[in-house]
Amino acid sequence: MARKRVAILISGRGSNMAALVAAARNPVYPADVVAVLSNQPGAGGLERASAEGIPTAVVDQAAFGKDRAAFEQAIQQHLDAHCADLVCLAGFMRLLTPSFVSRWSGRMLNIHPSLLPSFRGLHTHEQALAAGVRIHGATVHYVVPEVDAGPIVAQAAVPVLDGDTPDTLAARVLAAEVRLYPLALALVAGGKSTLTPQGVRSAAAVASAVQLIVPDPL
Ligand code: GRF
């Protein structure tokens, strides 16, 4: 099976992007990272991608003002230029329009730093601490027009420890994210997780179960 060509969209430091790039260095990994795009010119992940020899491009959202269609058309042109089969959102902080998302239905993934459907939106670690949960984590899901609501491919769970702050919890979740996303992308790119009208169907039972990844308390 030919490796799926994956484009990664970032807005910041690119921790998850770097993990996906590292995973794809293995020639048997079912995905190949062909481009890293950012909506922010200063995104630190762009340098990390370039250092790995990955083609990068900036589609500066500020240059498009409120013209979302033109912004997304520019993104699409880069995706077409690299013949992307899949898109991975990795710390991409820009809402995409329903029409763009629908065009990539079943071919666009996102990682969200909570155990969806709990704690959608921003400040997920603050939400988790305020709710007093004892288990928190991250979710890789297919992107649908509704924000943080797509069918779930896989999840990683971490403990919430006494004395945790949003920063300590975020660091523990991020340590799980960078292990989870390469796993989830491999399942999708390798055809082991498929999107059906009933949700995600995974060949490996472990794929859709909670991946209880408990890194050493940081
Ligand atoms: C991560 O927690 C990710 O889940 C969220 O943004 C954070 C930063 O991601 N979407 P990265 O370091 O830019 O990959």
Side-chain angles (χ1 to χ4, degrees):
M1 174 187 281
R3 302 173 81 193
K4 294 294 187 190
R5 297 173 61 85
V6 175
I8 303 175
L9 274 55
I10 66 170
S11 298
R13 64 197 163 184
S15 311
N16 283 291
M17 175 276 297
L20 295 174
V21 168
R25 284 276 172 263
N26 185 335
V28 301
Y29 191 75
D32 186 20
V33 177
V34 296
V36 171
L37 310 177
S38 180
N39 61 323
Q40 297 294 343
L46 290 167
E47 286 178 23
R48 297 173 80 167
S50 295
E52 294 289 332
I54 307 289
T56 64
V58 173
V59 179
D60 184 351
Q61 71 178 49
F64 292 89
K66 297 193 181 306
D67 191 344
R68 287 183 176 276
F71 169 77
E72 292 178 351
Q73 184 181 4
I75 292 279
Q76 184 64 45
Q77 284 170 354
H78 285 287
L79 297 175
D80 292 341
H82 291 284
C83 303
D85 300 307
L86 296 171
V87 175
C88 284
L89 307 182
F92 187 66
M93 306 305 282
R94 168 89 168 178
L95 291 182
L96 296 166
T97 63
S99 62
F100 187 86
V101 169
S102 300
R103 189 184 317 162
W104 285 92
S105 175
R107 299 186 294 149
M108 184 183 287
L109 299 176
N110 181 50
I111 189 162
H112 179 78
S114 80
L115 293 175
L116 291 173
S118 298
F119 315 135
R120 295 166 62 175
L122 301 175
H123 311 301
T124 62
H125 312 302
E126 289 84 344
Q127 291 185 61
L129 290 171
V133 296
R134 306 314 301 170
I135 296 290
H136 187 37
T139 302
V140 175
H141 62 94
Y142 283 97
V143 178
V144 296
E146 186 181 0
V147 177
D148 299 336
I152 292 171
V153 176
Q155 293 184 299
V158 300
V160 179
L161 303 178
D162 291 348
D164 262 333
T165 65
D167 287 347
T168 60
L169 192 49
R172 192 172 309 119
V173 169
L174 189 60
E177 289 181 64
V178 297
R179 294 167 63 184
L180 176 69
Y181 215 166
L183 163 74
L185 175 58
L187 292 169
V188 171
K192 292 187 169 60
S193 277
T194 49
L195 185 57
T196 75
Q198 293 72 40
V200 177
R201 290 294 170 265
S202 299
V206 71
S208 56
V210 168
Q211 295 285 315
L212 187 53
I213 298 173
V214 182
D216 299 335
L218 295 164

PDB file of all heavy atoms in Angstrom, residues 122-149:
ATOM      1  N   LEU A 122     -11.351  25.993  24.257  1.00  0.00           N
ATOM      2  CA  LEU A 122     -10.019  26.388  24.734  1.00  0.00           C
ATOM      3  C   LEU A 122      -9.877  26.136  26.243  1.00  0.00           C
ATOM      4  O   LEU A 122     -10.842  25.752  26.919  1.00  0.00           O
ATOM      5  CB  LEU A 122      -9.804  27.876  24.428  1.00  0.00           C
ATOM      6  CG  LEU A 122      -9.890  28.291  22.950  1.00  0.00           C
ATOM      7  CD1 LEU A 122      -9.781  29.810  22.806  1.00  0.00           C
ATOM      8  CD2 LEU A 122      -8.809  27.585  22.142  1.00  0.00           C
ATOM      9  N   HIS A 123      -8.668  26.344  26.751  1.00  0.00           N
ATOM     10  CA  HIS A 123      -8.378  26.238  28.196  1.00  0.00           C
ATOM     11  C   HIS A 123      -8.878  24.917  28.777  1.00  0.00           C
ATOM     12  O   HIS A 123      -9.528  24.885  29.839  1.00  0.00           O
ATOM     13  CB  HIS A 123      -9.018  27.434  28.931  1.00  0.00           C
ATOM     14  CG  HIS A 123      -8.733  28.760  28.309  1.00  0.00           C
ATOM     15  ND1 HIS A 123      -7.446  29.242  28.138  1.00  0.00           N
ATOM     16  CD2 HIS A 123      -9.563  29.702  27.773  1.00  0.00           C
ATOM     17  CE1 HIS A 123      -7.491  30.415  27.508  1.00  0.00           C
ATOM     18  NE2 HIS A 123      -8.763  30.720  27.278  1.00  0.00           N
ATOM     19  N   THR A 124      -8.578  23.840  28.102  1.00  0.00           N
ATOM     20  CA  THR A 124      -9.112  22.529  28.520  1.00  0.00           C
ATOM     21  C   THR A 124      -8.552  22.083  29.863  1.00  0.00           C
ATOM     22  O   THR A 124      -9.233  21.419  30.632  1.00  0.00           O
ATOM     23  CB  THR A 124      -8.783  21.464  27.463  1.00  0.00           C
ATOM     24  OG1 THR A 124      -7.346  21.347  27.345  1.00  0.00           O
ATOM     25  CG2 THR A 124      -9.381  21.834  26.114  1.00  0.00           C
ATOM     26  N   HIS A 125      -7.304  22.455  30.162  1.00  0.00           N
ATOM     27  CA  HIS A 125      -6.698  21.994  31.415  1.00  0.00           C
ATOM     28  C   HIS A 125      -7.297  22.753  32.599  1.00  0.00           C
ATOM     29  O   HIS A 125      -7.546  22.181  33.667  1.00  0.00           O
ATOM     30  CB  HIS A 125      -5.177  22.146  31.336  1.00  0.00           C
ATOM     31  CG  HIS A 125      -4.602  21.593  30.076  1.00  0.00           C
ATOM     32  ND1 HIS A 125      -4.779  20.276  29.693  1.00  0.00           N
ATOM     33  CD2 HIS A 125      -3.902  22.185  29.068  1.00  0.00           C
ATOM     34  CE1 HIS A 125      -4.201  20.084  28.519  1.00  0.00           C
ATOM     35  NE2 HIS A 125      -3.670  21.217  28.118  1.00  0.00           N
ATOM     36  N   GLU A 126      -7.582  24.031  32.377  1.00  0.00           N
ATOM     37  CA  GLU A 126      -8.284  24.797  33.415  1.00  0.00           C
ATOM     38  C   GLU A 126      -9.677  24.203  33.640  1.00  0.00           C
ATOM     39  O   GLU A 126     -10.127  24.063  34.792  1.00  0.00           O
ATOM     40  CB  GLU A 126      -8.399  26.265  33.003  1.00  0.00           C
ATOM     41  CG  GLU A 126      -7.074  27.054  33.036  1.00  0.00           C
ATOM     42  CD  GLU A 126      -6.234  26.889  31.775  1.00  0.00           C
ATOM     43  OE1 GLU A 126      -6.506  25.948  30.993  1.00  0.00           O
ATOM     44  OE2 GLU A 126      -5.262  27.650  31.617  1.00  0.00           O
ATOM     45  N   GLN A 127     -10.324  23.819  32.549  1.00  0.00           N
ATOM     46  CA  GLN A 127     -11.670  23.223  32.679  1.00  0.00           C
ATOM     47  C   GLN A 127     -11.600  21.930  33.480  1.00  0.00           C
ATOM     48  O   GLN A 127     -12.428  21.663  34.358  1.00  0.00           O
ATOM     49  CB  GLN A 127     -12.272  22.934  31.290  1.00  0.00           C
ATOM     50  CG  GLN A 127     -12.640  24.139  30.449  1.00  0.00           C
ATOM     51  CD  GLN A 127     -13.328  23.698  29.167  1.00  0.00           C
ATOM     52  OE1 GLN A 127     -14.397  23.062  29.188  1.00  0.00           O
ATOM     53  NE2 GLN A 127     -12.729  24.005  28.020  1.00  0.00           N
ATOM     54  N   ALA A 128     -10.580  21.108  33.169  1.00  0.00           N
ATOM     55  CA  ALA A 128     -10.447  19.807  33.846  1.00  0.00           C
ATOM     56  C   ALA A 128     -10.198  19.998  35.346  1.00  0.00           C
ATOM     57  O   ALA A 128     -10.797  19.318  36.182  1.00  0.00           O
ATOM     58  CB  ALA A 128      -9.312  19.014  33.203  1.00  0.00           C
ATOM     59  N   LEU A 129      -9.317  20.930  35.670  1.00  0.00           N
ATOM     60  CA  LEU A 129      -9.021  21.185  37.085  1.00  0.00           C
ATOM     61  C   LEU A 129     -10.256  21.734  37.796  1.00  0.00           C
ATOM     62  O   LEU A 129     -10.589  21.326  38.915  1.00  0.00           O
ATOM     63  CB  LEU A 129      -7.844  22.153  37.207  1.00  0.00           C
ATOM     64  CG  LEU A 129      -6.475  21.587  36.783  1.00  0.00           C
ATOM     65  CD1 LEU A 129      -5.418  22.687  36.738  1.00  0.00           C
ATOM     66  CD2 LEU A 129      -6.040  20.459  37.717  1.00  0.00           C
ATOM     67  N   ALA A 130     -10.974  22.622  37.140  1.00  0.00           N
ATOM     68  CA  ALA A 130     -12.177  23.209  37.762  1.00  0.00           C
ATOM     69  C   ALA A 130     -13.254  22.147  37.983  1.00  0.00           C
ATOM     70  O   ALA A 130     -13.985  22.175  38.978  1.00  0.00           O
ATOM     71  CB  ALA A 130     -12.716  24.323  36.870  1.00  0.00           C
ATOM     72  N   ALA A 131     -13.270  21.157  37.077  1.00  0.00           N
ATOM     73  CA  ALA A 131     -14.296  20.101  37.200  1.00  0.00           C
ATOM     74  C   ALA A 131     -13.891  19.048  38.214  1.00  0.00           C
ATOM     75  O   ALA A 131     -14.704  18.197  38.603  1.00  0.00           O
ATOM     76  CB  ALA A 131     -14.527  19.445  35.833  1.00  0.00           C
ATOM     77  N   GLY A 132     -12.596  19.048  38.587  1.00  0.00           N
ATOM     78  CA  GLY A 132     -12.132  18.076  39.584  1.00  0.00           C
ATOM     79  C   GLY A 132     -12.000  16.662  39.061  1.00  0.00           C
ATOM     80  O   GLY A 132     -12.035  15.688  39.824  1.00  0.00           O
ATOM     81  N   VAL A 133     -11.812  16.502  37.735  1.00  0.00           N
ATOM     82  CA  VAL A 133     -11.667  15.147  37.199  1.00  0.00           C
ATOM     83  C   VAL A 133     -10.340  14.533  37.638  1.00  0.00           C
ATOM     84  O   VAL A 133      -9.383  15.250  37.938  1.00  0.00           O
ATOM     85  CB  VAL A 133     -11.768  15.152  35.641  1.00  0.00           C
ATOM     86  CG1 VAL A 133     -13.149  15.613  35.202  1.00  0.00           C
ATOM     87  CG2 VAL A 133     -10.669  16.017  35.014  1.00  0.00           C
ATOM     88  N   ARG A 134     -10.273  13.237  37.693  1.00  0.00           N
ATOM     89  CA  ARG A 134      -9.036  12.543  38.101  1.00  0.00           C
ATOM     90  C   ARG A 134      -8.297  11.959  36.895  1.00  0.00           C
ATOM     91  O   ARG A 134      -7.135  11.563  37.018  1.00  0.00           O
ATOM     92  CB  ARG A 134      -9.337  11.416  39.088  1.00  0.00           C
ATOM     93  CG  ARG A 134     -10.131  11.825  40.300  1.00  0.00           C
ATOM     94  CD  ARG A 134      -9.646  13.117  40.973  1.00  0.00           C
ATOM     95  NE  ARG A 134      -8.253  13.054  41.433  1.00  0.00           N
ATOM     96  CZ  ARG A 134      -7.565  14.111  41.858  1.00  0.00           C
ATOM     97  NH1 ARG A 134      -8.122  15.303  41.845  1.00  0.00           N
ATOM     98  NH2 ARG A 134      -6.323  13.999  42.268  1.00  0.00           N
ATOM     99  N   ILE A 135      -9.019  11.880  35.784  1.00  0.00           N
ATOM    100  CA  ILE A 135      -8.404  11.416  34.533  1.00  0.00           C
ATOM    101  C   ILE A 135      -8.653  12.483  33.467  1.00  0.00           C
ATOM    102  O   ILE A 135      -9.793  12.968  33.308  1.00  0.00           O
ATOM    103  CB  ILE A 135      -9.017  10.069  34.057  1.00  0.00           C
ATOM    104  CG1 ILE A 135      -8.715   8.955  35.069  1.00  0.00           C
ATOM    105  CG2 ILE A 135      -8.470   9.702  32.678  1.00  0.00           C
ATOM    106  CD1 ILE A 135      -7.250   8.519  35.119  1.00  0.00           C
ATOM    107  N   HIS A 136      -7.622  12.856  32.772  1.00  0.00           N
ATOM    108  CA  HIS A 136      -7.690  13.855  31.700  1.00  0.00           C
ATOM    109  C   HIS A 136      -6.930  13.247  30.517  1.00  0.00           C
ATOM    110  O   HIS A 136      -6.474  12.085  30.591  1.00  0.00           O
ATOM    111  CB  HIS A 136      -7.036  15.143  32.229  1.00  0.00           C
ATOM    112  CG  HIS A 136      -7.138  16.342  31.350  1.00  0.00           C
ATOM    113  ND1 HIS A 136      -8.246  16.642  30.581  1.00  0.00           N
ATOM    114  CD2 HIS A 136      -6.240  17.345  31.127  1.00  0.00           C
ATOM    115  CE1 HIS A 136      -8.026  17.768  29.942  1.00  0.00           C
ATOM    116  NE2 HIS A 136      -6.822  18.226  30.241  1.00  0.00           N
ATOM    117  N   GLY A 137      -6.784  13.988  29.430  1.00  0.00           N
ATOM    118  CA  GLY A 137      -6.027  13.394  28.327  1.00  0.00           C
ATOM    119  C   GLY A 137      -6.204  14.120  27.014  1.00  0.00           C
ATOM    120  O   GLY A 137      -6.446  15.338  26.999  1.00  0.00           O
ATOM    121  N   ALA A 138      -6.105  13.363  25.931  1.00  0.00           N
ATOM    122  CA  ALA A 138      -6.142  13.948  24.592  1.00  0.00           C
ATOM    123  C   ALA A 138      -6.934  13.035  23.661  1.00  0.00           C
ATOM    124  O   ALA A 138      -7.063  11.828  23.907  1.00  0.00           O
ATOM    125  CB  ALA A 138      -4.722  14.129  24.056  1.00  0.00           C
ATOM    126  N   THR A 139      -7.432  13.637  22.599  1.00  0.00           N
ATOM    127  CA  THR A 139      -8.280  12.934  21.638  1.00  0.00           C
ATOM    128  C   THR A 139      -7.851  13.251  20.216  1.00  0.00           C
ATOM    129  O   THR A 139      -7.643  14.438  19.886  1.00  0.00           O
ATOM    130  CB  THR A 139      -9.756  13.372  21.801  1.00  0.00           C
ATOM    131  OG1 THR A 139     -10.186  13.116  23.146  1.00  0.00           O
ATOM    132  CG2 THR A 139     -10.661  12.657  20.813  1.00  0.00           C
ATOM    133  N   VAL A 140      -7.714  12.239  19.394  1.00  0.00           N
ATOM    134  CA  VAL A 140      -7.549  12.453  17.949  1.00  0.00           C
ATOM    135  C   VAL A 140      -8.877  12.083  17.299  1.00  0.00           C
ATOM    136  O   VAL A 140      -9.409  10.998  17.549  1.00  0.00           O
ATOM    137  CB  VAL A 140      -6.411  11.611  17.352  1.00  0.00           C
ATOM    138  CG1 VAL A 140      -6.357  11.780  15.824  1.00  0.00           C
ATOM    139  CG2 VAL A 140      -5.073  12.022  17.958  1.00  0.00           C
ATOM    140  N   HIS A 141      -9.393  13.018  16.520  1.00  0.00           N
ATOM    141  CA  HIS A 141     -10.721  12.809  15.930  1.00  0.00           C
ATOM    142  C   HIS A 141     -10.748  13.303  14.486  1.00  0.00           C
ATOM    143  O   HIS A 141      -9.916  14.152  14.073  1.00  0.00           O
ATOM    144  CB  HIS A 141     -11.791  13.533  16.756  1.00  0.00           C
ATOM    145  CG  HIS A 141     -11.615  15.028  16.809  1.00  0.00           C
ATOM    146  ND1 HIS A 141     -12.243  15.889  15.933  1.00  0.00           N
ATOM    147  CD2 HIS A 141     -10.851  15.808  17.627  1.00  0.00           C
ATOM    148  CE1 HIS A 141     -11.885  17.134  16.214  1.00  0.00           C
ATOM    149  NE2 HIS A 141     -11.044  17.113  17.235  1.00  0.00           N
ATOM    150  N   TYR A 142     -11.684  12.760  13.722  1.00  0.00           N
ATOM    151  CA  TYR A 142     -11.923  13.308  12.385  1.00  0.00           C
ATOM    152  C   TYR A 142     -12.546  14.691  12.553  1.00  0.00           C
ATOM    153  O   TYR A 142     -13.330  14.911  13.479  1.00  0.00           O
ATOM    154  CB  TYR A 142     -12.895  12.407  11.608  1.00  0.00           C
ATOM    155  CG  TYR A 142     -12.272  11.141  11.065  1.00  0.00           C
ATOM    156  CD1 TYR A 142     -12.381   9.941  11.756  1.00  0.00           C
ATOM    157  CD2 TYR A 142     -11.590  11.131   9.851  1.00  0.00           C
ATOM    158  CE1 TYR A 142     -11.812   8.764  11.269  1.00  0.00           C
ATOM    159  CE2 TYR A 142     -11.032   9.963   9.343  1.00  0.00           C
ATOM    160  CZ  TYR A 142     -11.144   8.784  10.060  1.00  0.00           C
ATOM    161  OH  TYR A 142     -10.585   7.634   9.567  1.00  0.00           O
ATOM    162  N   VAL A 143     -12.186  15.604  11.695  1.00  0.00           N
ATOM    163  CA  VAL A 143     -12.719  16.964  11.751  1.00  0.00           C
ATOM    164  C   VAL A 143     -14.050  17.019  10.998  1.00  0.00           C
ATOM    165  O   VAL A 143     -14.162  16.499   9.882  1.00  0.00           O
ATOM    166  CB  VAL A 143     -11.730  17.981  11.155  1.00  0.00           C
ATOM    167  CG1 VAL A 143     -12.317  19.394  11.173  1.00  0.00           C
ATOM    168  CG2 VAL A 143     -10.419  17.966  11.951  1.00  0.00           C
ATOM    169  N   VAL A 144     -15.047  17.604  11.673  1.00  0.00           N
ATOM    170  CA  VAL A 144     -16.372  17.818  11.071  1.00  0.00           C
ATOM    171  C   VAL A 144     -16.697  19.300  11.248  1.00  0.00           C
ATOM    172  O   VAL A 144     -16.019  20.000  11.999  1.00  0.00           O
ATOM    173  CB  VAL A 144     -17.437  16.920  11.742  1.00  0.00           C
ATOM    174  CG1 VAL A 144     -17.142  15.446  11.500  1.00  0.00           C
ATOM    175  CG2 VAL A 144     -17.539  17.230  13.241  1.00  0.00           C
ATOM    176  N   PRO A 145     -17.731  19.779  10.577  1.00  0.00           N
ATOM    177  CA  PRO A 145     -18.024  21.220  10.697  1.00  0.00           C
ATOM    178  C   PRO A 145     -18.208  21.696  12.135  1.00  0.00           C
ATOM    179  O   PRO A 145     -17.768  22.784  12.492  1.00  0.00           O
ATOM    180  CB  PRO A 145     -19.303  21.376   9.876  1.00  0.00           C
ATOM    181  CG  PRO A 145     -19.171  20.319   8.802  1.00  0.00           C
ATOM    182  CD  PRO A 145     -18.549  19.148   9.516  1.00  0.00           C
ATOM    183  N   GLU A 146     -18.807  20.860  12.997  1.00  0.00           N
ATOM    184  CA  GLU A 146     -18.969  21.272  14.403  1.00  0.00           C
ATOM    185  C   GLU A 146     -17.620  21.159  15.107  1.00  0.00           C
ATOM    186  O   GLU A 146     -16.924  20.145  14.977  1.00  0.00           O
ATOM    187  CB  GLU A 146     -20.005  20.380  15.096  1.00  0.00           C
ATOM    188  CG  GLU A 146     -20.347  20.828  16.511  1.00  0.00           C
ATOM    189  CD  GLU A 146     -21.361  19.914  17.191  1.00  0.00           C
ATOM    190  OE1 GLU A 146     -21.788  18.932  16.537  1.00  0.00           O
ATOM    191  OE2 GLU A 146     -21.691  20.167  18.368  1.00  0.00           O
ATOM    192  N   VAL A 147     -17.232  22.164  15.842  1.00  0.00           N
ATOM    193  CA  VAL A 147     -15.914  22.225  16.460  1.00  0.00           C
ATOM    194  C   VAL A 147     -15.770  21.185  17.574  1.00  0.00           C
ATOM    195  O   VAL A 147     -16.673  20.984  18.377  1.00  0.00           O
ATOM    196  CB  VAL A 147     -15.661  23.640  17.036  1.00  0.00           C
ATOM    197  CG1 VAL A 147     -14.319  23.703  17.765  1.00  0.00           C
ATOM    198  CG2 VAL A 147     -15.698  24.675  15.927  1.00  0.00           C
ATOM    199  N   ASP A 148     -14.622  20.492  17.557  1.00  0.00           N
ATOM    200  CA  ASP A 148     -14.283  19.508  18.619  1.00  0.00           C
ATOM    201  C   ASP A 148     -15.379  18.465  18.784  1.00  0.00           C
ATOM    202  O   ASP A 148     -15.679  18.017  19.898  1.00  0.00           O
ATOM    203  CB  ASP A 148     -14.063  20.232  19.960  1.00  0.00           C
ATOM    204  CG  ASP A 148     -12.914  21.223  19.892  1.00  0.00           C
ATOM    205  OD1 ASP A 148     -12.016  21.057  19.031  1.00  0.00           O
ATOM    206  OD2 ASP A 148     -12.922  22.191  20.685  1.00  0.00           O
ATOM    207  N   ALA A 149     -15.959  18.021  17.658  1.00  0.00           N
ATOM    208  CA  ALA A 149     -17.111  17.106  17.789  1.00  0.00           C
ATOM    209  C   ALA A 149     -17.048  15.931  16.835  1.00  0.00           C
ATOM    210  O   ALA A 149     -18.009  15.180  16.718  1.00  0.00           O
ATOM    211  CB  ALA A 149     -18.400  17.875  17.532  1.00  0.00           C
TER     212      ALA A 149
END
